[in-house]
């Protein structure tokens, strides 16, 4: 009886081992088939869709390179191969930007237009020679996208124009869109659009014919400055600092209405990058209002104007500046001292006296 049980248990163990071996062999075979199928698999055919355009496809109807596979070297004969930036490095035109611009002319949905513009922006930064070979008609085509009903398309168009503005020959053409950009910034409350539009404007020399539009959008610029979005605030203050150096715009800036807590922008708790730009703005305003030609006119300001907030009799600007003299960041310290000096020593006093008048000092 005991031998029969032992023989039976031995047969059971053998059967279990065989089943395990069979299961393992089946799993290995399935894994082999999966690997073999993956090795034989080819990427999908390319077409004119935005996704294929954004990839490095040789052309419609051809296979895209697998993303994990290294790009082959540029061929000495036939069509271009490999990365577009690598082809440009070898002195060959990849045609990437031209293909993207051509696809932009075709009727696309909002997402496709936005994606194509984003790809153009990337290529302009990476493929300098190809970008320089574009024409003013291409700039006009991108400018048309500023009238798109979708905000994401407008934002990408602004970014593309910003990329092209780095090429000198396109700056005059891009300047023609300045008024449109100012209109977008002042009529659409979208932080990403504000950042994109202001970055573009800060990268361009604004012509005098834009000044009337600048006067109209000054309240909007001041609202962006007093918002809670740091990137938009920094770009807005940079533009305002630039405009503060224009004699015909200085009064419009100083008389612009601001919130009662405007001086919170000078608090030491603000980010250092914003504090520095705000102090540069204050210094330029101080220098501008103390210039002889500006002081020769008796100006009248609103009670809630920027002038009254910064330079009025009840202003607490001096207290904020003194607190910033011991700011942890050296750039902020130095700039705070520059504002203090500009407040104590108006430019025209140097002609009449070698020292500043203590009775008119803020400190």
């Amino acid at each position: 009886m005991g031998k029969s049980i032992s023989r039976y248990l031995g047969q059971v163990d053998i059967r279990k081992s065989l089943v395990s071996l069979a299961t393992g062999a089946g799993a290995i075979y399935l894994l082999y088939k999966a690997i073999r199928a993956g090795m034989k698999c080819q990427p999908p055919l390319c077409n004119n869709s935005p996704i294929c355009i954004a990839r490095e496809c040789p052309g419609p109807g051809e296979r895209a390179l697998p993303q994990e596979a290294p790009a082959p070297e540029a061929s000495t004969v036939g069509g271009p191969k490999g990365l577009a930036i690598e082809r440009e490095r070898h002195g060959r035109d990849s045609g990437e930007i031209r293909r993207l611009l051509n696809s932009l002319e075709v009727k696309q949905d909002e997402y496709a237009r936005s994606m194509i513009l984003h790809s153009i922006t990337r290529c302009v930064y990476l493929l300098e020679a190809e970008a320089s070979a574009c024409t003013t008609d291409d700039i006009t085509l991108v400018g048309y996208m500023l009238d798109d009903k979708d905000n994401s398309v407008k934002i990408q168009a602004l970014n593309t124009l910003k990329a092209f503005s780095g090429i000198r020959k396109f700056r005059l053409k891009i300047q023609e869109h300045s008024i449109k950009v100012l209109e977008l910034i002042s009529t659409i409350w979208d932080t990403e659009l504000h950042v994109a539009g202001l970055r573009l404007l800060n990268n361009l020399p604004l012509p005098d014919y834009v000044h009337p539009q600048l006067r109209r959008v000054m309240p909007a610029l001041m609202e962006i400055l007093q918002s809670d979005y740091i990137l938009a605030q920094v770009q807005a203050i940079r533009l305002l600092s630039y405009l503060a150096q224009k004699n015909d715009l200085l009064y419009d800036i100083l008389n612009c209405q601001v919130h009662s807590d405007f001086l919170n922008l000078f608090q030491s708790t603000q980010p250092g990058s914003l504090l520095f730009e705000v102090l540069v703005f204050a210094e330029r305003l101080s220098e501008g209002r103390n210039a002889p030609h500006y002081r020769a006119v008796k100006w009248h300001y609103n009670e809630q104007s920027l002038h009254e907030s910064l330079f009025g009799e009840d202003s607490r600007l001096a207290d904020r500046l003194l607190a910033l003299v011991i700011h942890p960041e050296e750039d902020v310290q130095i700039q705070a001292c520059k504002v203090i000096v500009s407040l104590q020593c108006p430019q025209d006093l140097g002609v009449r006296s070698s020292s500043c008048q203590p009775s008119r000092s803020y400190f």
Side-chain angles (χ1 to χ4, degrees), residues 135 271 297 306 331:
T135 66
V297 180
L306 176 62
D331 288 346

Side-chain angles (χ1 to χ4, degrees), residues 21-22 50 72 95 124 134 137 141 154 165 196 221 284 292 301 310 359:
L21 287 171
V124 170
C134 292
D137 290 338
L141 175 63
K154 293 187 179 78
S165 69
L221 293 176
R284 291 180 178 174
Y301 303 98
L310 293 179
S359 60

Side-chain angles (χ1 to χ4, degrees), residues 320-329 332-334 336-337 340:
R320 300 296 169 88
L321 293 174
L322 289 173
L324 294 178
V325 171
I326 57 173
H327 191 273
E329 297 186 28
V332 174
Q333 293 178 16
I334 295 172
C337 291
I340 291 173

Side-chain angles (χ1 to χ4, degrees), residues 182-318:
L182 288 168
E183 177 189 334
L184 294 176
I185 292 172
S186 60
T187 57
I188 301 175
W189 194 258
D190 184 295
T191 52
E192 291 187 17
L193 187 143
H194 291 164
V195 172
L198 290 168
R199 277 178 175 165
L200 172 59
L201 294 174
N202 283 327
N203 207 46
L204 293 173
L206 297 178
D208 291 344
Y209 66 78
V210 181
H211 287 191
Q213 180 69 8
L214 284 167
R215 290 189 182 91
R216 288 190 287 271
V217 304
M218 206 68 73
L221 293 176
M222 208 62 71
E223 283 296 324
I224 296 172
L225 172 58
Q226 297 170 97
S227 66
D228 296 325
Y229 193 61
I230 178 67
L231 294 178
Q233 287 177 288
V234 169
Q235 294 300 323
I237 197 71
R238 285 178 180 171
L239 179 59
L240 287 168
S241 293
Y242 167 76
L243 300 178
Q245 300 174 90
K246 305 292 183 181
N247 293 332
D248 60 327
L249 294 175
L250 180 58
Y251 173 74
D252 298 278
I253 296 174
L254 287 170
N255 198 41
C256 195
Q257 184 171 335
V258 296
H259 300 168
S260 58
D261 60 351
F262 182 83
L263 289 182
N264 287 348
L265 291 171
F266 293 84
Q267 285 184 339
S268 57
T269 54
Q270 296 284 2
S273 58
L274 177 60
L275 266 177
F276 176 80
E277 298 293 346
V278 169
L279 289 167
V280 171
F281 180 47
E283 181 190 14
R284 291 180 178 174
L285 290 176
S286 178
E287 291 176 346
R289 66 185 285 271
N290 287 327
H293 65 272
Y294 192 84
R295 292 167 65 89
V297 180
K298 186 174 179 60
W299 304 98
H300 297 279
Y301 303 98
N302 297 321
E303 291 183 1
Q304 296 180 331
S305 66
L306 176 62
H307 179 275
E308 294 304 300
S309 180
L310 293 179
F311 311 116
E313 294 181 359
D314 298 327
S315 175
R316 306 298 298 175
L317 177 62

Side-chain angles (χ1 to χ4, degrees), residues 89-108:
R89 192 170 68 85
H90 287 86
R92 285 180 288 273
D93 191 337
S94 70
E96 185 78 6
I97 297 180
R98 178 53 51 198
R99 188 163 81 243
L100 288 164
L101 288 167
N102 290 341
S103 66
L104 195 61
E105 295 179 341
V106 181
K107 187 175 182 181
Q108 308 274 7

Side-chain angles (χ1 to χ4, degrees), residues 66-230:
Q67 300 225 343
E68 66 276 4
E73 294 182 1
S75 176
T76 55
V77 290
K81 296 180 181 180
L83 292 174
I85 190 170
E86 185 70 16
R87 294 198 295 271
E88 182 176 73
R89 192 170 68 85
H90 287 86
R92 285 180 288 273
D93 191 337
S94 70
E96 185 78 6
I97 297 180
R98 178 53 51 198
R99 188 163 81 243
L100 288 164
L101 288 167
N102 290 341
S103 66
L104 195 61
E105 295 179 341
V106 181
K107 187 175 182 181
Q108 308 274 7
D109 59 25
E110 290 85 356
Y111 173 76
R113 289 196 296 274
S114 178
M115 188 172 181
I116 292 170
L117 286 165
H118 176 74
S119 298
I120 293 173
T121 303
R122 180 193 62 183
C123 288
V124 170
Y125 286 122
L126 294 177
L127 308 175
E128 183 178 352
E130 287 187 38
S132 299
C134 292
T135 66
T136 54
D137 290 338
D138 299 323
I139 303 300
T140 302
L141 175 63
V142 175
Y144 285 150
M145 299 295 108
L146 297 177
D147 293 317
D148 197 281
K149 62 182 180 180
D150 188 81
N151 282 351
S152 64
V153 176
K154 293 187 179 78
I155 293 168
Q156 294 302 332
L158 290 167
N159 290 335
T160 304
L161 291 174
K162 164 66 167 56
F164 273 116
S165 69
I167 302 173
R168 184 178 298 275
K169 72 174 187 177
F170 294 132
R171 288 185 180 176
L172 286 177
K173 188 64 179 177
I174 297 174
Q175 278 182 2
E176 297 177 5
H177 300 286
S178 299
I179 293 178
K180 179 63 180 180
V181 175
L182 288 168
E183 177 189 334
L184 294 176
I185 292 172
S186 60
T187 57
I188 301 175
W189 194 258
D190 184 295
T191 52
E192 291 187 17
L193 187 143
H194 291 164
V195 172
L198 290 168
R199 277 178 175 165
L200 172 59
L201 294 174
N202 283 327
N203 207 46
L204 293 173
L206 297 178
D208 291 344
Y209 66 78
V210 181
H211 287 191
Q213 180 69 8
L214 284 167
R215 290 189 182 91
R216 288 190 287 271
V217 304
M218 206 68 73
L221 293 176
M222 208 62 71
E223 283 296 324
I224 296 172
L225 172 58
Q226 297 170 97
S227 66
D228 296 325
Y229 193 61
I230 178 67

